[in-house]
Amino acid sequence: MKSAVLVFPGSNCDTDCVRAVEQVIEGDVDRVWHKDEDLSAYDFIVVPGGFSYGDYLRSGAIARFSPIVKSLEEAAAAGKTILGICNGFQILLEAGLLPGAMRVNQSLKFVCKPCKLRVEDGSTRFTTGYEKGEIIDIPVAHQEGNYYCDEAELRRLEDNGQVVFRYVDNPNGSVADIAGIRNKAGNVLGMMPHPERAVRDALGSSDGVRLFESVARYALDVQKEFA
Amino acid sequence: MSAVDEKFREPTPDEIAEHKVYAEMGVSDGEYDLICDFMGRRPNYVEIGVFSVMWSEHCSYKNSRPILAKFPIDGPRVLVGPGEGAGVVDIGDGQAVVFKIESHNHPSAIEPFQGAATGVGGILRDIFSMGARPIGLLNSLRFGPIHRPEDRHNRYLFERVVEGIAGYGNCIGVPTVGGEIVFDESYNGNPLVNVMCVGLIDHDDIQKGVADGVGNPVFYVGPATGRDGIHGATFASEELTEESEAKRPAVQVGDPFKEKLVMEACLELIESGIVVGIQDMGAAGLTCSSAEMASKAGNGMELHLDRVPQRAAGMTPYEMMLSESQERMLFVVKPEHAEQAQAIFEKWDLPCVDVGSVTDDGRLRLMHHGEEVGDLPVRAIVDECPIYERAIEEPAYFREVQAADALSDPELKGEEALTGALETLLSAPTIASKRWVFEQFDYMVRTNTIQAPGGDAAVIAVTDSDKALAMTVDGNSRHVYLDPYEGGKAAVAEAARNLVCTGAEPLAVTDNLNYGNPEKPEVYWQLHRSATGMAEACEVLSTPVIGGNVSLYNEHTEGAIYPTPVIGMVGLIEHQKEMTRSGFVEAGDQVILVGETKPELGGSSLRAEVFGKRDGAPPKVDLEVESKMQQALLAAIRKGLVQSAHDCSDGGLAVAIAESAIAGGQGATLSATTELRGDHFLFSESASRVVISAKEEQVEELLAIFEDAGVMTQVLGAVGGDKLEMKVNGAAALNSQIEVLKDRWEGAIPSIMSRDH
């Protein structure tokens, strides 16, 4: 399969995402510059973390207008697998590919630490490697990770089973302890925690590996179906 | 533009001489006369401005050069020593580590967020301008006390400095992996912010800041030049006073996003192989980078200042030459590569402007709209600043504090008193966990951090290699104050010990010398004595000094700060599996004290925190013993005989054991024998000691290694349970739940910092 990691000015987890994808998923992985306009060649697209455009306005608010985002929207509509991590999640929210918004952490401070997440759904294309209800270790590192949506939206998310990960011990004040959500179709996942930072025991956890494995397994299944 | 700006007329050369305008820029009468000699005439306003910043202590090291000459700077691994942006040390396989420490003390005193942030920005540029990819940041911070209600201003400085470092480092995507923080009265009004950056480079990519090749174009890259930071280097070279607040405009404003772009673009440029020379615009901005690059090549440079991107209309040559606007670089390429270079910066949406050319006449010529506005001799600006061998005088306090009997405090007897003292020390902000700080730093980005902040040293894996780099910053300034010579030795010894505790071989040192006004003989004595001690330790421990920074004039209305040399050190771990941590690992492991405990309580944390005394002779370091101990420990670690290792420093053996227990989440049952008084044994801060743990079946082999090296050891007992229990000479001494100790240690700073909210 072919993977892409988008690079915006100010992205700083792009290298880490490339390394994680290379480590886990067979096939090529390309860095795609934000001024490019074509993502049609890719099965899996990662929008990495960082501080796109310095996050001087609102996280992700400017990156959302980069040329590449139009083709990201097309890829989402076409059912391609899209993973937004941290600033990538914020960009997906700003682009309207996922519902809700981010506020500054309740502590008003940046928080970087290992974090326990509960897997709410083990059947998405991102999470078949996990059991529903399993507790996994994936670190967080953000200042604006306090996910917010109104009550009606939250009800929709819960009713559709779109909450994929929840914090066991909420580090930022997010609504309903939400750490990661998917879109209704299930092909777009946004999460604040960094699975690409949990891919080797030496880093403190390798629980993130199974997320990338799940994505690869899904691609393989799709391929088989077509074959 | 304001009306004031329009009305301001630059003084003429004669007015500068008559009204001694140069004195306001920190230039002495003698220096002014010398400048006139070099120029062959009276300098104009921009010329005297250029001389004043280049001849400031910050840029010229005019007061500290005789001191720096003491340090050993050579070693078999040293590829680039002091003088370039940063030192470079070979780590094998064609790779090298690049590192440097720098201070941003004065700016942080009056604008803590931006002061600290731009400190991070500056040190990053020093590293990537060498061609290296920055892989880790560390910081060494000093503030006045924060624990009392009236310490509100110190809490503000502490909180904002931490946020400033976080704001810059997190955004740029370089992990902030370690540091140290001390709170002490001596830093009231003059906090210290020292920042260290470590980078990784292939030997072939090492760059130098040289303007070679007459006729080559000189390019300016990065954001436009504004009126910020004018005379920053001069400001950094004078004492802080009540009026310093008015110098807020001398503090620059950082833009980490811009720096990220500049960094990526510069690394891409360097990788292309077309760079002749590159240097960052740090202190003294365009002046320092252009003059130094020309000087190193023995050339001259012509700059067309009207081509410099400008943030404000009507900027004068003086303002452009002296601005310290951030995130700017200067580089030289051959004319045929100019287009290729510009294309790289265009990709990153960064201005890249041809602002001049390399000349052969050894002059720095400044042009503005076709008119020559300055003509200076490069050598004189860069290399001819007078060097001052200042008067030395032993301060009166020295004999007094040395004479104090540090063993005269009433004995802390029995479990309750001793455990109480341990808890007091664990909750003292200087010793307490710095989790509140480091969780604000992204210490994981780049996914190579294999030992996170909180241990003896941070460890970063080298990508696609089995190697790892351990890094630390250290310095016990109370000990340096009480005996600069012994304290200087101890600072180097402790930094090396910290690295060895993680399984690393110490490679080299970058030092930051933070002192008071060197024109005071007592301060110069501190500088001289402590540097002598540091130099001896660097020699014996084979850790040459490859670069560093000097920050003098750290004084406030209440006097000089403690003499504070900060040692930044990097070590090499050949195999990642050899990396050791400070926490106890497994129940049943044997706990061993390595090294000799002497009755050395002078300047100890126990005396400071429990008895409120800051005197006595601090611990002495026998460098031969230190070296033998470190080599034996490293050999044992490499043989896989050591489960955990933790340096004994602030708070002595008791605190070291408690920290190993907390970090490992396991207690221990221990029993020690000693000829010392029990409280002295537990809280002495004797050097050259570590607490290690080992599997029971390996203890014999382990002890033999230390015995062969002539290093004392004492087996104290076993890891296990949820309590720390320790007897000394058969009498119960320490007894506490690990959870309780952990609460004290981890809860101290968060509870203090929640006070104002």
Side-chain angles (χ1 to χ4, degrees):
Chain A
M1 66 184 282
K2 235 172 127 68
S3 305
V5 175
L6 306 192
V7 184
F8 295 90
S11 294
N12 65 28
C13 301
D14 45 328
T15 304
D16 304 347
C17 287
V18 168
R19 275 176 83 187
V21 171
E22 272 176 349
Q23 178 192 324
V24 181
I25 300 179
E26 258 180 68
D28 295 338
V29 49
D30 294 338
R31 272 166 214 268
V32 179
W33 185 235
H34 74 117
K35 287 178 187 168
D36 290 350
E37 293 180 9
D38 188 5
L39 285 168
S40 59
Y42 301 101
D43 312 292
F44 176 38
I45 300 156
V46 182
V47 192
F51 287 68
S52 56
Y53 293 95
D55 282 349
Y56 288 143
L57 182 53
R58 208 173 48 241
S59 300
I62 300 178
R64 177 255 173 285
F65 292 103
S66 271
I68 196 70
V69 173
K70 190 165 175 295
S71 55
L72 187 68
E73 287 163 350
E74 288 162 8
K80 296 281 184 68
T81 304
I82 297 172
L83 169 63
I85 303 165
C86 200
N87 193 228
F89 184 11
Q90 292 159 344
I91 293 169
L92 294 180
L93 293 174
E94 290 290 335
L97 291 172
L98 290 169
M102 286 294 171
R103 296 173 301 186
V104 174
N105 297 345
Q106 223 159 41
S107 65
L108 304 182
K109 294 194 184 299
F110 191 95
V111 59
C112 174
K113 62 177 181 185
C115 214
K116 294 210 182 301
L117 308 182
R118 190 168 56 244
V119 180
E120 295 291 338
D121 184 350
S123 69
T124 78
R125 65 174 77 175
F126 302 93
T127 55
T128 53
Y130 305 107
E131 298 292 329
K132 180 175 164 37
E134 188 182 343
I135 306 294
I136 59 174
D137 275 306
I138 310 273
V140 291
H142 58 249
Q143 185 141 19
E144 287 178 43
N146 180 355
Y147 179 79
Y148 179 78
C149 62
D150 63 21
E151 273 183 44
E153 187 64 60
L154 180 61
R155 209 170 312 123
R156 271 196 295 277
L157 287 174
E158 298 283 11
D159 289 350
N160 296 331
Q162 286 174 247
V163 179
V164 180
F165 298 111
R166 253 187 258 268
Y167 300 112
V168 172
D169 187 7
N170 193 334
N172 52 36
S174 68
V175 158
D177 300 326
I178 285 174
I181 55 170
R182 62 169 174 83
N183 63 352
K184 216 171 156 189
N187 62 316
V188 179
L189 171 69
M191 61 193 295
M192 286 314 293
H194 289 266
E196 84 283 9
R197 295 185 181 189
V199 291
R200 276 152 38 220
D201 289 342
L203 300 176
S205 166
S206 48
D207 284 347
V209 169
R210 284 180 283 160
L211 189 146
F212 296 102
E213 281 173 352
S214 303
V215 169
R217 193 174 312 120
Y218 174 81
L220 211 62
D221 289 348
V222 171
Q223 230 169 38
K224 273 185 207 152
E225 220 169 280
F226 277 99
Chain B
M1 236 177 113
S2 69
V4 178
D5 287 335
E6 280 170 34
K7 261 192 269 171
F8 179 77
R9 182 184 61 80
E10 287 182 357
T12 64
D14 292 341
E15 285 167 345
I16 291 168
E18 278 155 32
H19 302 296
K20 296 197 174 185
V21 176
Y22 54 82
E24 292 163 25
M25 302 179 183
V27 175
S28 70
D29 288 347
E31 287 168 348
Y32 177 75
D33 291 342
L34 205 54
I35 289 166
C36 291
D37 284 350
F38 280 121
M39 296 286 293
R41 59 178 165 83
R42 286 177 170 174
N44 66 23
Y45 193 57
V46 61
E47 288 165 341
I48 189 67
V50 165
F51 265 105
S52 75
V53 288
M54 289 302 290
W55 283 19
S56 69
E57 169 60 32
H58 195 83
C59 291
S60 71
Y61 300 104
K62 61 185 170 190
N63 295 295
S64 50
R65 215 175 274 194
I67 299 291
L68 300 177
K70 294 174 191 291
F71 296 139
I73 56 171
D74 292 319
R77 286 181 183 269
V78 177
L79 300 178
V80 178
E84 281 295 331
V88 184
V89 181
D90 181 27
I91 60 166
D93 299 322
Q95 285 185 303
V97 61
V98 183
F99 58 97
K100 192 180 182 200
I101 193 165
E102 193 155 274
S103 63
H104 242 212
N105 302 334
H106 283 47
S108 303
I110 56 170
E111 208 326 277
F113 184 94
Q114 291 297 346
T118 51
V120 176
I123 197 67
L124 279 160
R125 284 193 298 283
D126 278 333
I127 300 305
F128 71 73
S129 64
M130 295 297 293
R133 165 69 66 177
I135 60 166
L137 287 163
L138 301 96
N139 50 73
S140 172
L141 312 177
R142 300 285 187 281
F143 303 95
I146 57 168
H147 62 284
R148 301 163 307 193
E150 66 268 29
D151 298 328
R152 184 180 276 267
H153 185 67
N154 289 335
R155 285 194 291 277
Y156 155 77
L157 289 174
F158 172 44
E159 178 155 37
R160 293 298 283 165
V161 162
V162 168
E163 285 175 356
I165 292 170
Y168 211 101
N170 296 352
C171 179
I172 203 160
V174 177
T176 301
V177 292
E180 52 145 18
I181 309 178
V182 172
F183 303 93
D184 190 285
E185 300 278 355
S186 119
Y187 303 103
N188 270 332
N190 197 137
L192 300 185
V193 176
N194 292 183
V195 199
M196 172 171 160
C197 183
V198 181
L200 197 63
I201 194 170
D202 289 336
H203 291 187
D204 301 343
D205 290 337
I206 297 172
Q207 302 296 316
K208 293 205 169 172
V210 288
D212 264 329
V214 174
N216 280 342
V218 177
F219 283 94
Y220 167 115
V221 295
T225 296
R227 290 193 171 105
D228 55 332
I230 289 177
H231 268 302
T234 312
F235 166 55
S237 306
E238 61 192 28
E239 291 177 27
L240 288 167
T241 61
E242 297 294 348
E243 287 79 47
S244 295
E245 187 69 21
K247 300 228 164 139
R248 205 179 268 259
V251 180
Q252 313 86 329
V253 176
D255 180 350
F257 168 61
K258 269 288 149 55
E259 175 120 327
K260 167 78 172 162
L261 303 184
V262 171
M263 176 173 83
E264 296 300 338
C266 285
L267 289 174
E268 201 171 314
L269 175 75
I270 288 164
E271 201 170 308
S272 74
I274 61 174
V275 178
V276 173
I278 183 165
Q279 189 162 329
D280 82 298
M281 292 190 222
L286 192 52
T287 291
C288 187
S289 53
S290 57
E292 282 191 0
M293 287 181 77
S295 163
K296 274 184 258 177
N299 283 330
M301 197 179 280
E302 183 172 276
L303 292 176
H304 295 267
L305 296 172
D306 42 292
R307 297 189 207 154
V308 168
Q310 293 155 53
R311 210 185 294 154
M315 284 187 68
T316 63
Y318 177 87
E319 289 169 330
M320 280 185 273
M321 288 306 286
L322 269 65
S323 163
E324 289 189 8
S325 288
Q326 297 289 290
E327 293 92 27
R328 302 175 303 158
M329 306 280 291
L330 205 65
F331 72 88
V332 174
V333 291
K334 290 180 181 164
E336 60 266 34
H337 293 136
E339 228 169 281
Q340 189 186 343
Q342 280 174 305
I344 291 172
F345 291 95
E346 201 168 306
K347 174 190 160 188
W348 293 93
D349 295 324
L350 288 168
C352 173
V353 185
D354 177 342
V355 291
S357 56
V358 179
T359 60
D360 62 359
D361 58 3
R363 309 291 294 183
L364 178 62
R365 235 192 332 272
L366 309 175
M367 310 293 288
H368 196 225
H369 297 298
E371 199 184 313
E372 186 177 287
V373 294
D375 179 13
L376 303 118
V378 165
R379 261 192 71 84
I381 317 172
V382 179
D383 299 317
E384 300 293 348
C385 174
I387 301 300
Y388 299 105
E389 187 81 63
R390 297 286 182 189
I392 290 179
E393 196 182 306
E394 189 183 285
Y397 82 82
F398 181 60
R399 261 157 219 280
E400 256 168 64
V401 295
Q402 284 276 314
D405 181 3
L407 303 177
S408 62
D409 298 316
E411 182 170 5
L412 297 168
K413 262 188 178 159
E415 203 171 86
E416 206 173 312
L418 291 165
T419 307
L422 172 60
E423 289 180 3
T424 300
L425 289 180
L426 289 174
S427 56
T430 297
I431 293 178
S433 166
K434 305 301 183 298
R435 183 176 296 279
W436 184 88
V437 175
F438 68 70
E439 283 189 348
Q440 294 184 53
F441 301 147
D442 186 345
Y443 57 84
M444 304 172 181
V445 66
R446 300 189 52 75
T447 55
N448 280 325
T449 309
I450 57 175
Q451 185 151 167
D456 280 48
V459 182
I460 291 182
V462 177
T463 305
D464 299 327
S465 158
D466 193 25
K467 291 176 191 166
L469 294 166
M471 48 200 77
T472 186
V473 280
D474 251 304
N476 185 330
S477 55
R478 192 164 58 228
H479 288 179
V480 180
Y481 171 76
L482 295 175
D483 186 339
Y485 171 70
E486 287 297 335
K489 284 199 302 189
V492 176
E494 187 183 337
R497 207 181 307 134
N498 281 338
L499 296 182
V500 170
C501 280
T502 66
E505 177 198 350
L507 294 175
V509 165
T510 176
D511 64 318
N512 209 333
L513 305 176
N514 307 275
Y515 292 75
N517 181 346
E519 293 156 41
K520 296 180 182 168
E522 299 82 9
V523 170
Y524 207 70
W525 175 84
Q526 293 174 332
L527 194 51
H528 167 77
R529 291 293 294 160
S530 53
T532 303
M534 290 161 65
E536 282 182 28
C538 288
E539 195 75 60
V540 175
L541 299 175
S542 305
T543 50
V545 176
I546 58 159
N549 179 250
V550 179
S551 170
L552 303 177
Y553 302 94
N554 287 292
E555 305 223 358
H556 195 51
T557 39
E558 293 165 43
I561 59 161
Y562 276 165
T564 312
V566 172
I567 304 297
M569 208 185 273
V570 174
L572 177 64
I573 297 174
E574 286 285 353
H575 306 288
Q576 288 174 24
K577 68 169 172 21
E578 290 168 1
M579 185 186 76
T580 312
R581 296 176 194 273
S582 65
F584 291 145
V585 178
E586 250 175 295
D589 286 349
Q590 297 293 299
V591 179
I592 299 155
L593 169 63
V594 177
E596 185 184 358
T597 307
K598 299 174 192 162
E600 294 180 307
L601 275 292
S604 65
S605 300
L606 180 78
R607 289 201 89 210
E609 300 296 339
V610 176
F611 298 104
K613 291 177 187 163
R614 292 170 166 75
D615 56 12
K620 289 198 176 353
V621 188
D622 182 329
L623 291 169
E624 294 302 329
V625 170
E626 180 77 48
S627 174
K628 273 191 272 180
M629 190 284 289
Q630 291 188 16
Q631 283 175 29
L633 177 57
L634 193 55
I637 288 174
R638 285 176 172 168
K639 281 190 171 170
L641 302 174
V642 178
Q643 290 274 72
S644 71
H646 186 32
D647 164 42
C648 271
S649 58
D650 294 2
L653 176 64
V655 166
I657 290 172
E659 286 176 345
S660 286
I662 294 168
Q666 307 199 57
T669 307
L670 311 173
S671 175
T673 55
T674 174
E675 287 167 6
L676 309 185
R677 221 168 78 178
D679 55 347
H680 291 167
F681 177 71
L682 288 171
F683 298 106
S684 158
E685 294 183 5
S686 290
S688 316
R689 295 182 307 153
V690 289
V691 171
I692 62 176
S693 66
K695 288 182 181 163
E696 201 171 358
E697 63 271 22
Q698 292 183 319
V699 168
E700 208 176 317
E701 191 183 349
L702 176 69
L703 295 183
I705 291 177
F706 288 111
E707 202 182 327
D708 289 348
V711 176
M712 284 176 70
T713 53
Q714 181 173 173
V715 179
L716 299 176
V719 172
D722 55 6
K723 286 174 83 172
L724 173 61
E725 286 184 272
M726 184 162 180
K727 287 180 182 165
V728 177
N729 290 337
L734 302 177
N735 188 352
S736 183
Q737 294 286 332
I738 299 304
E739 276 307 311
V740 172
L741 298 177
K742 186 178 175 179
D743 282 352
R744 287 303 196 98
W745 189 65
E746 290 215 329
I749 291 179
S751 107
I752 289 168
M753 294 310 289
S754 63
R755 208 168 274 169
D756 302 327
H757 297 290

